[in-house]
Amino acid sequence: MSGLVPARLSGPDVLRVGLAGLRARPARVVLSALGIAIGIATMVAVIGISSSSKEDLLRRLDRLGTNLLTAEPGGTLFGEEARLPRGSAAMVARIGPVTAVGAVGTVDATVRRTDRIPAEITHGIGVAAASHDLLGTLGTTVRQGAWLNAATARYPGVVLGAEAARRLGTDRPGGRVWIGGRWFTVLGVLDTAELAPEIDRSALVGWESAERYLGFDGHPTTLYERSTDASVEDVRAVLARTVNPEHPEEVEVSRPSDALAAKAAAAGAFTGLLLGLGAVALLVGGVGVANTMVISVLERRREIGLRRSLGATRGQVRIQFLAESLLLSTLGGAAGTVLGAAVTAGFALYRGWPPVVPLWALGGALAATLAIGTAAGLYPAMRAARLSPTAALATV
C-alpha cells in the first residue's frame, strides 16, 4: 500500500488562504499596510517630482535653444579690468554661422521711481545700454509696450526687465523713472529672459541715448550671439579671438543653457537624498509588517495546530503565512504607488510642469514591495512551520 500524498496548494488556494487571514484582522492590516504605503508613496513621489522638474527643464532648453553664447571681459595679466572693443559686436556678426548678435553695456547710473528717493536706494536694479538686436538674439518678448528702435534709442526712453519693473512698481508703459539725474519715459516691459536673468534686473536704454545723456563710453560689457546648432562649438572656439583679436585671453565665453543643464543634473543628487529617506520609511513599514505577522503567528497557534493535524505540511503552513505577508505588502505598495503618482501630478500641475512618473519607478516600487513582503514574512512563516501540532493544539 503506497503512502499518503498530501494535497498540493494551487495558486488560487494560496491566494484564498492568504486573504482569509487578512480579512480576520482588518484594522491591524490597514495600519501595517499604511507604513508600506507611506514609504512607497515617498519614493514614487520623489522620483516623479524630480522627473517632472527635469522634463520641464529639458523642454525649456528645447524651446530656448542651446545655441546662445555670451562673451564678457575677463581679467588682464596685471589684474586690471578688461574691456571689450567698441566694434566687437560688428566683428562677431561677420562670423559665417552667426545668425544674430546683441550687446549690452553697463552704465554708471542708478534708476529710481522718483527723484525724491535717495540715490543709494537702487533696489538692485542696474542701468544698461542695449543694442537694437538684443531682444531678437535673446528670444525674449515684450510683455507690454514696445522695444527700442532706431528712433526711440536716441531719446530718453527705457525698457524695463521683468524683475526691474516689479521692484519699481511700474508695470505699464507711459510712466517715468529717474535715471542719472533726468526723467526717462518707460517704453515697455519685458517678459522673463530665462537665459539672461541679468536682463530681468536691468533698465535698458538705447545705445545712443546712453552715450548722450548718461556718459556711457560705448564699450559693451556682454555680447550675446546665436549661431546654427551644428556650429555652436566651432563659433565658441573662435569667438574670443574675434571679439578681441589683440587679447583673446581677456574674453570669457560661456553658454547660458549650460546652467539649465547643470540644474537638471544637480536635481539627481538631491533626488538620491530624498530616495534614501523614502527607503528608511519603507524599511520602517517592513518592520511593521514583520511585527504584525509575528503577532499573527502567536495568536493563531491553535489554527496552525489544527491545520497540521488535518494533514497540512510544514511547507504549506510556511507558504500560507508568506502569502499573507506578500499580500499585506502588495496592498500597501499599490496604495502607495497611487498616492505617490497623485502627489506627483498635483505638484507638477501646481508648478506648471509636465507630470512624469517613469515606468521604471513603478516597476521599482513593485519590486521593493515584493522584497519587503518576502523579508518581513520569512521569519514568521518559518516560525509557524516549526510548530508541532500537539504543542499548538495544547495552547490555551
Side-chain angles (χ1 to χ4, degrees):
M1 179 177 178
S2 60
L4 295 176
V5 178
R8 295 181 179 275
L9 284 176
S10 64
D13 291 334
V14 173
L15 183 62
R16 282 195 294 270
V17 170
L19 289 174
L22 296 182
R23 284 197 298 267
R25 297 161 182 83
R28 186 183 300 170
V29 167
V30 170
L31 292 176
S32 299
L34 185 61
I36 297 291
I38 292 174
I40 292 295
T42 301
M43 299 180 74
V44 171
V46 165
I47 295 173
I49 291 174
S50 175
S51 299
S52 300
S53 174
K54 185 175 294 186
E55 180 66 20
D56 178 67
L57 284 172
L58 293 177
R59 291 188 182 186
R60 287 167 60 190
L61 279 173
D62 290 339
R63 184 178 71 254
L64 298 170
T66 58
N67 59 344
L68 178 69
L69 297 177
T70 65
E72 297 177 309
T76 67
L77 294 176
F78 304 100
E80 299 174 352
E81 184 179 354
R83 293 198 301 178
L84 301 182
R86 282 173 170 266
S88 53
M91 291 188 290
V92 171
R94 288 197 290 267
I95 301 176
V98 171
T99 57
V101 180
V104 295
T106 301
V107 177
D108 185 16
T110 60
V111 54
R112 289 166 285 161
R113 192 164 45 218
T114 71
D115 56 345
R116 304 295 182 181
I117 298 176
E120 58 271 14
I121 301 179
T122 64
H123 298 288
I125 304 172
V127 180
S131 65
H132 303 164
D133 300 328
L134 177 65
L135 204 63
T137 304
L138 294 178
T140 307
T141 56
V142 178
R143 184 193 307 164
Q144 293 185 354
W147 175 242
L148 299 165
N149 55 44
T152 58
R154 297 197 301 265
Y155 299 101
V158 60
V159 175
L160 300 176
E163 182 62 20
R166 187 189 68 80
R167 295 181 185 181
L168 289 171
T170 304
D171 58 356
R172 294 181 180 277
R176 297 192 305 172
V177 291
W178 187 258
I179 302 178
R182 66 178 304 134
W183 290 106
F184 275 67
T185 302
V186 177
L187 303 175
V189 176
L190 300 180
D191 283 316
T192 301
E194 296 187 82
L195 290 181
E198 63 277 5
I199 298 298
D200 292 340
R201 302 184 298 272
S202 298
L204 304 170
V205 299
W207 208 269
E208 299 88 340
S209 175
E211 292 178 327
R212 179 182 301 176
Y213 301 110
L214 301 175
F216 176 50
D217 61 9
H219 288 272
T221 51
T222 304
L223 293 178
Y224 301 92
E225 170 276 329
R226 280 196 189 269
S227 56
T228 58
D229 292 335
S231 59
V232 172
E233 293 304 323
D234 294 334
V235 173
R236 190 173 191 170
V238 302
L239 189 57
R241 292 194 298 272
T242 305
V243 171
N244 193 344
E246 295 183 1
H247 300 286
E249 73 281 357
E250 296 180 0
V251 180
E252 294 182 356
V253 178
S254 63
R255 180 155 56 176
S257 58
D258 290 344
L260 286 178
K263 186 177 180 181
F270 187 63
T271 299
L273 174 63
L274 293 180
L275 277 179
L277 297 178
V280 171
L282 185 60
L283 180 61
V284 172
V287 172
V289 171
N291 183 57
T292 297
M293 296 306 302
V294 169
I295 294 176
S296 178
V297 170
L298 295 176
E299 291 178 345
R300 296 161 64 186
R301 291 166 63 93
R302 292 180 64 86
E303 175 192 334
I304 295 170
L306 181 60
R307 290 198 66 218
R308 290 295 311 279
S309 65
L310 292 176
T313 65
R314 291 178 182 270
Q316 289 172 344
V317 173
R318 189 162 45 243
I319 289 175
Q320 173 190 351
F321 283 91
L322 190 58
E324 288 186 22
S325 176
L326 284 171
L327 288 172
L328 179 56
S329 297
T330 302
L331 176 64
T337 300
V338 173
L339 178 60
V343 169
T344 297
F347 187 79
L349 293 175
Y350 170 75
R351 295 296 301 269
W353 299 341
V356 176
V357 180
L359 291 178
W360 64 264
L362 301 179
L366 176 61
T369 298
L370 295 178
I372 288 294
T374 302
L378 195 58
Y379 170 72
M382 295 176 63
R383 181 171 178 172
R386 286 198 298 264
L387 288 175
S388 66
T390 54
L393 288 172
T395 302
V396 179

